[in-house]
């Protein structure tokens, strides 16, 4: 790769959020001199946000780790890669030998979803470790939606998304896609798309405890009490049955369980639900009628609907409403992407499958069931602290910062400090990795090849795009997939010096053998000389729904073809996929899975006692600070203070607070401080802190973030409060008290 000082242009898919925008970079030597949107990109068409421009600062950040760190006598020292892995082997294997494989836990954070070097290889590490203690950011975010869709459609990632470019009605709950550019919905330039929807005569309605940036673009906004989304959605479904508005349309023959739903939602009349959710009964009925009458429309619910006690119920009811109003799997409604690679719902026998299974094991201390192979992040601290067989004594964290992102981070930090051994794969010495004994840094995103494995499965339009590395990694820097395989080799007893390329060859050969049988040698030869994730990607593209099938379809996709098209390959708008997409044993959409009906009946018993008094805390995200590690980039950190407590002026007046005053917020027996920001966009009785702050912990090396550390929202949350079905943390609607801080300093 030419890295002379002559300016050159490179194209890159942005790895900093789910929008996955195409970028055009001007490169001079090892320096990025400009970042622009790539106007020819088939997916994002030149759109970009401030995060993309900060990719330059991430690459150049002096705090980003370049060499492994090993703790010696209580302090981190730089060391070589072989020395770092020798230390891991020396200290990790005795833990496994003495206490078993479940004594090692692994955590993985959301940056791994943006790295083709991490996502497919993390599973291989977890399998090699053989531990049941697997934790991810999914149980802090999206597990309710994955569980609901798994039960309904047969696979965890068969998640319908709004076909926004053809829609004329969009009802949005607990989501702010104008800031996030979608979440479990990959959609650049939501602002532009919502404006276009309204310009063609459509309507957008937002339901949220805050009048968000998305609500400002909408035709209507309704406040809702945090945590009551499932009640509202059930009442809308009740209205459809009561008024004879159930019309599933084309997909009716593919639905199972419809007959069980009227009785299930009978307790949730709009009049019964209105006090709990703070939305008038007539408004609830009107929302149901408008959804039913829309020729092309759908409901979209996201983070706020997931991170509450009834997150799985809310996620399920969103898609039940879409199905019964004729908006599921229809243009302009909620549709299923058809990804070019790695999508399980495009492989195997179409229209039927094994479905999903949960509860194959449970957490040792509180008995939380396994979901999607994971345990809830909220139980990790107790699994470390509680003595006995199976106690977690070592941890491998991969691009994960749960001390800031998980409930009761202070407890988790104390627990991490008590581990016998900890390894982190991370580019920063942050609030979590400061507890590690060995830190293995990955390369800059610009030093990695890039293909989005997960997000085309959630995209509003089908496409295939690939970005080669912009820069060669520094001499001696191994790719992250090799680091994961080296850890796997240690866990398998092959030693830190194992030939990881040979190990990768073994695993790929096994995978190809399952697909090709006797043709395995020929297919492996066709995939050569690529290794690692590039080989996996070529295999997935060639055997995917648009693939060349190793020459059987000459016009089909392979990695060479995609790589030769910097603007990407447009694979067209979303198309109806039912029943082909289904992987349920019945071969039908399961509208009424038994666990969900039981949970709904339990929720009905809670309806009358739903809390309506006291202050409730909700989070928020901003376009410049979607995640904690973005706070160390000067371009994103500059500007006004963002970690503020948003509060309605009437609430502030009642509590003797004014704009700019320092408030003390107490929840779950812990307190944080933040300046008050008066905002009538907040529902009365609800306050908001942003997610991902709290950069004032000793030992972290985040110079920019430490200048304005902010308050850790999650320190105020109860780690034992979880959605009972998915185990997802309850991050929204926690009760808090707010008062004037006793001193004027944060």
């Amino acid at each position: 790769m030419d890295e002379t000082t002559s300016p050159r242009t490179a194209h890159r898919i942005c790895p900093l959020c789910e929008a996955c925008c195409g970028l055009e970079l001007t490169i001079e030597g090892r320096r990025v001199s400009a970042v622009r949107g790539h106007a020819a990109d088939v997916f994002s068409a030149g759109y970009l946000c401030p995060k993309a421009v900060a990719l330059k600062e991430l690459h150049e950040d002096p705090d980003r780790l370049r060499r492994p760190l090993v703790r010696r006598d209580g302090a981190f020292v730089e060391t070589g890669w072989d020395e770092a892995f020798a230390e891991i082997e020396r200290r990790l294997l005795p833990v496994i030998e003495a206490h078993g494989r479940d004594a090692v836990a692994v955590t993985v954070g959301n940056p791994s979803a943006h790295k083709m070097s991490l996502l497919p290889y993390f599973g291989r590490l977890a399998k090699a470790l053989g531990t049941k203690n697997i934790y991810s950011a999914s149980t802090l975010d999206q597990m309710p939606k994955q569980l609901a869709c798994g039960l309904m459609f047969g696979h965890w990632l068969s998640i319908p998304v709004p076909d926004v470019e053809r829609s004329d009605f969009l009802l949005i709950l607990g989501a702010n896609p104008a800031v996030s550019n979608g979440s479990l919905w990959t959609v650049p330039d939501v602002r532009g798309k919502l404006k276009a929807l309204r310009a063609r005569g459509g309507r957008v309605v937002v339901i949220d405890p805050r009048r968000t940036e998305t609500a400002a673009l909408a035709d209507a906004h309704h406040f809702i009490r945090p945590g009551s989304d499932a009640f509202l959605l059930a009442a809308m479904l009740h209205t459809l049955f009561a008024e004879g508005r159930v019309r599933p349309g084309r997909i009716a023959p593919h639905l199972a369980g419809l007959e069980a739903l009227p009785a299930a939602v009978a307790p949730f009349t709009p009049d019964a639900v209105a006090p709990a959710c703070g939305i008038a009964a007539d408004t609830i009925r009107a929302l149901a009628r408008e959804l039913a009458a829309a020729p092309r429309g759908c409901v979209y619910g996201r983070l706020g609907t997931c991170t509450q006690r009834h997150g799985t119920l809310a996620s399920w009811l969103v898609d039940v409403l879409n199905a019964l109003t004729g908006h599921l799997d229809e243009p302009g409604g909620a549709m299923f992407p058809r990804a070019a690679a790695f999508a399980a719902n495009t492989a195997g026998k179409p229209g039927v499958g094994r479905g999903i299974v949960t509860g194959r094991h449970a957490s040792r201390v509180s008995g939380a069931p396994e979901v999607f192979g994971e345990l809830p992040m909220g139980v990790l601290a107790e699994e470390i602290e509680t003595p006995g067989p199976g106690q977690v004594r070592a941890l491998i964290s991969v691009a994960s910062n749960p001390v800031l992102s998980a409930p009761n981070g202070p407890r988790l930090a104390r627990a991490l400090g008590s581990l016998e051994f900890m390894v982190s794969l991370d580019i920063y010495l942050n609030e979590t990795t400061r507890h590690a004994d060995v830190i293995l840094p990955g390369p800059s995103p610009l030093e990695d090849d890039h293909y989005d494995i997960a997000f085309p499965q959630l995209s509003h339009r089908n496409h295939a795009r690939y970005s080669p590395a912009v820069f060669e990694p520094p001499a001696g820097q191994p790719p992250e997939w090799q680091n994961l395989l080296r850890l796997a080799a240690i866990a398998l007893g092959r030693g830190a010096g194992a030939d990881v390329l040979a190990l990768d060859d073994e695993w790929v050969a096994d995978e190809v053998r399952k697909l090709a049988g006797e043709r395995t040698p020929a297919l492996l030869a066709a995939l050569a000389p690529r290794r690692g994730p590039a080989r996996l990607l070529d295999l997935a593209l060639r055997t995917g729904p648009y693939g060349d099938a190793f020459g059987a379809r000459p016009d089909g996709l392979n990695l060479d073809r995609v790589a030769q098209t910097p603007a990407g390959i447009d694979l067209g708008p979303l198309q109806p996929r039912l029943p082909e997409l289904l992987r349920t044993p019945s071969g039908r959409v399961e509208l009424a899975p038994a666990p969900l009906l039981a949970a709904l009946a339990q929720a009905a018993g809670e309806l009358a006692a739903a809390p309506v008094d006291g202050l409730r805390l909700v989070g928020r995200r901003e376009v410049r600070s979607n995640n904690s590690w973005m706070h160390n980039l000067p371009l994103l950190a500059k500007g006004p203070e963002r970690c503020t407590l948003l509060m309605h002026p009437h609430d502030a007046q009642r509590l003797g607070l004014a704009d700019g005053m320092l408030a003390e917020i107490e929840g779950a027996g812990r307190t944080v401080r933040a300046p008050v920001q008066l905002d009538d966009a907040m529902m009365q009785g609800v306050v908001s802190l942003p997610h991902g702050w709290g950069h004032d912990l000793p030992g972290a090396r985040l110079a920019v973030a430490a200048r304005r550390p902010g308050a850790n929202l999650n320190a105020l949350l109860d780690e034992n409060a979880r959605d009972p079905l998915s185990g997802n943390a309850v991050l929204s609607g926690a009760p808090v008290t707010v008062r004037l801080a006793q001193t004027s300093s944060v």
Side-chain angles (χ1 to χ4, degrees):
M1 184 182 302
D2 182 13
E3 293 185 9
T4 65
T5 57
S6 300
R8 62 185 176 93
T9 298
H11 294 102
R12 186 72 186 173
I13 303 165
C14 181
L16 301 185
C17 81
E18 291 188 36
C20 305
C21 299
L23 308 178
E24 188 170 272
L25 282 59
T26 302
I27 307 298
E28 299 180 33
R30 293 280 302 181
R31 191 174 68 87
V32 179
S33 59
V35 179
R36 303 177 182 84
H38 185 195
D41 187 272
V42 299
F43 187 62
S44 58
Y47 178 79
L48 83 167
C49 76
K51 292 191 299 295
V53 181
L55 192 57
K56 162 186 166 63
E57 292 184 343
L58 177 60
H59 177 69
E60 298 172 355
D61 190 350
D63 286 337
R64 182 171 62 82
L65 303 179
R66 270 78 170 175
R67 289 175 55 79
L69 298 181
V70 174
R71 190 183 299 276
R72 303 287 190 203
D73 298 323
F76 282 113
V77 296
E78 287 192 353
T79 189
W81 290 94
D82 289 341
E83 292 83 357
F85 278 101
E87 178 75 359
I88 295 168
E89 184 174 25
R90 183 180 73 84
R91 298 188 59 185
L92 183 63
L93 286 181
V95 174
I96 296 174
E97 291 165 0
H99 305 289
R101 292 189 172 272
D102 289 339
V104 182
V106 288
T107 66
V108 61
N110 61 17
S112 67
H114 297 270
K115 289 202 161 195
M116 63 180 281
S117 196
L118 286 181
L119 194 58
Y121 283 87
F122 174 80
R124 295 186 175 189
L125 170 61
K127 185 176 181 180
L129 286 166
T131 178
K132 296 183 178 71
N133 281 297
I134 299 172
Y135 306 84
S136 87
S138 293
T139 56
L140 304 172
D141 186 329
Q142 67 202 41
M143 193 61 82
K145 191 64 180 179
Q146 290 185 261
L147 175 57
C149 289
L151 292 170
M152 292 182 74
F153 309 119
H155 193 269
W156 305 94
L157 280 173
S158 291
I159 298 175
V161 301
D163 181 24
V164 63
E165 292 185 325
R166 293 182 289 190
S167 183
D168 51 29
F169 178 69
L170 188 56
L171 177 63
I172 299 173
L173 288 90
N176 190 9
V179 163
S180 66
N181 280 306
S183 179
L184 292 181
W185 179 30
T186 298
V187 52
D189 190 17
V190 170
R191 289 178 177 272
K193 290 176 174 61
L194 294 183
K195 289 177 180 177
L197 187 158
R198 295 183 65 198
R200 60 178 178 263
R203 276 175 49 82
V204 178
V205 178
V206 172
I207 299 175
D208 198 282
R210 181 169 74 96
R211 193 165 57 249
T212 62
E213 293 85 347
T214 303
L217 300 169
D219 296 276
H221 166 253
H222 303 285
F223 288 123
I224 185 171
R225 286 199 174 92
S228 64
D229 300 67
F231 299 152
L232 168 68
L233 294 165
M236 290 177 62
L237 187 56
H238 182 283
T239 300
L240 297 182
F241 285 117
E243 298 183 359
R245 298 178 186 271
V246 173
R247 298 183 185 91
R250 176 187 61 84
I251 67 169
H254 308 300
L255 302 179
L258 176 57
E259 66 283 353
L261 293 177
V265 298
F268 297 91
T269 68
D271 294 289
V273 161
C277 63
I279 299 177
D282 286 345
T283 301
I284 296 172
R285 294 186 183 96
L287 289 170
R289 292 165 186 160
E290 187 169 15
L291 176 66
R296 299 173 301 176
C298 69
V299 186
Y300 167 66
R302 210 11 227 121
L303 194 66
T305 61
C306 285
T307 55
Q308 55 181 277
R309 172 169 166 72
H310 297 302
T312 303
L313 286 180
S315 298
W316 164 57
L317 290 167
V318 163
D319 288 322
V320 172
L321 280 170
N322 286 330
L324 297 191
T325 52
H327 297 317
L328 180 66
D329 201 43
E330 290 291 339
M335 303 192 75
F336 299 94
R338 192 169 184 250
F342 298 109
N345 62 29
T346 65
K349 185 178 179 180
V352 68
R354 293 181 298 177
I356 65 166
V357 177
T358 65
R360 291 170 291 187
H361 55 269
S363 66
R364 179 178 61 101
V365 179
S366 59
E370 164 270 336
V371 177
F372 197 23
E374 302 178 16
L375 296 174
M377 187 71 82
V379 308
L380 177 56
E382 68 185 25
E383 291 294 324
I384 297 172
E385 294 171 343
T386 307
Q391 179 183 5
V392 170
R393 299 167 183 268
L395 175 71
I396 300 174
S397 70
V398 180
S400 176
N401 192 5
V403 168
L404 290 194
S405 62
N408 198 353
R411 179 186 182 186
L412 182 56
R414 291 192 299 272
L416 296 181
S418 71
L419 288 166
E420 294 179 23
F421 186 59
M422 178 173 168
V423 180
S424 291
L425 282 75
D426 208 287
I427 61 174
Y428 284 119
L429 179 50
N430 62 26
E431 294 78 14
T432 295
T433 64
R434 68 196 171 111
H435 295 284
D437 298 283
V438 179
I439 305 178
L440 304 173
S444 157
L446 299 182
E447 295 164 351
D448 253 342
D449 297 340
H450 186 83
Y451 182 93
D452 284 305
I453 291 175
F455 301 118
Q457 301 183 52
L458 303 164
S459 293
H460 78 97
R461 187 177 180 90
N462 296 316
H463 65 279
R465 299 177 301 156
Y466 172 81
S467 299
V470 176
F471 301 117
E472 293 284 356
Q477 167 77 58
E480 287 174 294
W481 65 272
Q482 291 189 17
N483 289 339
L484 289 173
L485 286 185
R486 205 166 176 184
L487 290 173
I490 291 172
L492 291 170
R494 298 193 183 192
D499 183 346
V500 295
L501 297 181
L503 183 58
D504 190 47
D505 288 343
E506 291 176 26
W507 280 340
V508 170
D510 287 342
E511 198 164 319
V512 173
R513 196 172 293 113
K514 294 173 187 175
L515 292 171
E518 295 179 355
R519 296 181 61 217
T520 296
L523 267 60
L524 289 173
L527 294 169
R530 290 189 171 99
R531 312 291 280 272
R535 177 166 54 181
L536 293 178
L537 173 57
D538 195 25
L539 173 64
L541 286 168
R542 300 181 84 160
T543 58
Y546 312 93
D548 70 358
F550 289 90
R553 295 194 294 266
D555 294 334
L557 298 184
N558 54 43
L559 182 50
D560 284 337
R561 183 181 171 198
V562 178
Q564 290 164 7
T565 314
I569 297 173
D570 180 28
L571 299 172
L574 306 185
Q575 300 293 328
R577 292 195 60 195
L578 292 179
E580 162 265 322
L581 163 131
L582 296 173
R583 296 296 184 270
T584 55
S586 68
R588 302 169 77 188
V589 176
E590 296 292 348
L591 289 178
L596 295 172
L597 291 180
L600 189 62
Q602 183 176 352
E606 302 172 10
L607 185 57
V612 296
D613 297 323
L615 286 178
R616 298 280 156 173
L617 177 66
V618 298
R620 68 181 188 273
R621 295 181 189 253
E622 297 184 347
V623 71
R624 292 176 177 267
S625 61
N626 272 11
N627 293 296
S628 61
W629 57 272
M630 295 183 184
H631 301 156
N632 208 54
L633 306 179
L635 179 66
L636 302 184
K638 71 179 183 180
E641 177 73 51
R642 294 186 180 88
C643 191
T644 60
L645 182 73
L646 295 186
M647 175 181 285
H648 192 280
H650 291 173
D651 287 328
Q653 183 179 30
R654 175 173 55 84
L655 296 170
L657 295 168
D659 199 62
M661 284 185 173
L662 188 65
E664 189 171 77
I665 309 103
E666 181 177 357
R670 295 173 293 278
T671 60
V672 299
R673 294 179 171 188
V676 171
Q677 182 178 348
L678 300 185
D679 190 350
D680 62 7
M682 291 302 304
M683 184 178 187
Q684 291 189 49
V686 182
V687 295
S688 173
L689 278 173
H691 167 84
W693 297 84
H695 304 290
D696 54 356
L697 300 180
R701 298 181 190 171
L702 299 166
V704 173
R707 292 174 199 150
R708 290 199 295 189
N712 183 1
L713 156 72
N714 292 317
L716 305 176
L717 304 178
D718 180 359
E719 69 274 29
N720 297 309
R722 296 187 292 272
D723 170 22
L725 293 172
S726 69
N728 206 86
V730 176
L731 306 177
S732 182
V736 293
T737 58
V738 178
R739 54 185 173 266
L740 180 66
Q742 295 303 303
T743 64
S744 59
S745 60
V746 177

